[in-house]
Amino acid sequence: MIQAKRCSKAVGIEAVRALAGVMEDKRATKGILVTTSWVGNDSRDFAARHGRMQIIECEELKFLCKEHLDLDVLISLPKSPPKRS
């Protein structure tokens, strides 16, 4: 299952939980949330606990577009995503 979110601010945990619910309903073995923005720590923690979910955020999405499609994409956000440690 793939869920795509085009957002200018953080994607809420509701979207991650909704993907988990659809995965269970459809008996999907993997779920991927792709977003032009980012997710919060609670969403990241939920996906990690679930174990079958992958989250692709802004910077990784740009990297994948360049690597696989040879496209330099520009994703403009009103504020920068928080730095991950």
Side-chain angles (χ1 to χ4, degrees):
M1 303 293 304
I2 297 175
Q3 179 177 14
K5 294 287 186 185
R6 183 177 183 193
C7 300
S8 59
K9 44 189 171 170
V11 174
I13 192 165
E14 303 82 21
V16 180
R17 287 184 177 148
L19 177 57
V22 172
M23 287 175 62
E24 296 305 319
D25 182 56
K26 301 294 183 183
R27 295 185 177 103
T29 57
K30 181 156 186 162
I32 303 172
L33 175 73
V34 180
T35 179
T36 56
S37 61
W38 67 95
V39 298
N41 289 332
D42 51 348
S43 298
R44 188 172 306 287
D45 293 344
F46 181 90
R49 283 192 311 273
H50 189 272
R52 297 178 307 172
M53 298 175 92
Q54 179 182 358
I55 297 174
I56 299 175
E57 298 172 291
C58 177
E59 293 303 317
E60 186 178 3
L61 179 59
K62 288 176 13 178
F63 172 80
L64 291 171
C65 286
K66 179 63 178 170
E67 181 179 16
H68 296 284
L69 303 173
D70 199 28
L71 292 174
D72 285 319
V73 296
L74 176 63
I75 300 174
S76 178
L77 297 173
K79 95 176 193 185
S80 298
K83 299 289 184 205
R84 303 273 182 218
S85 46

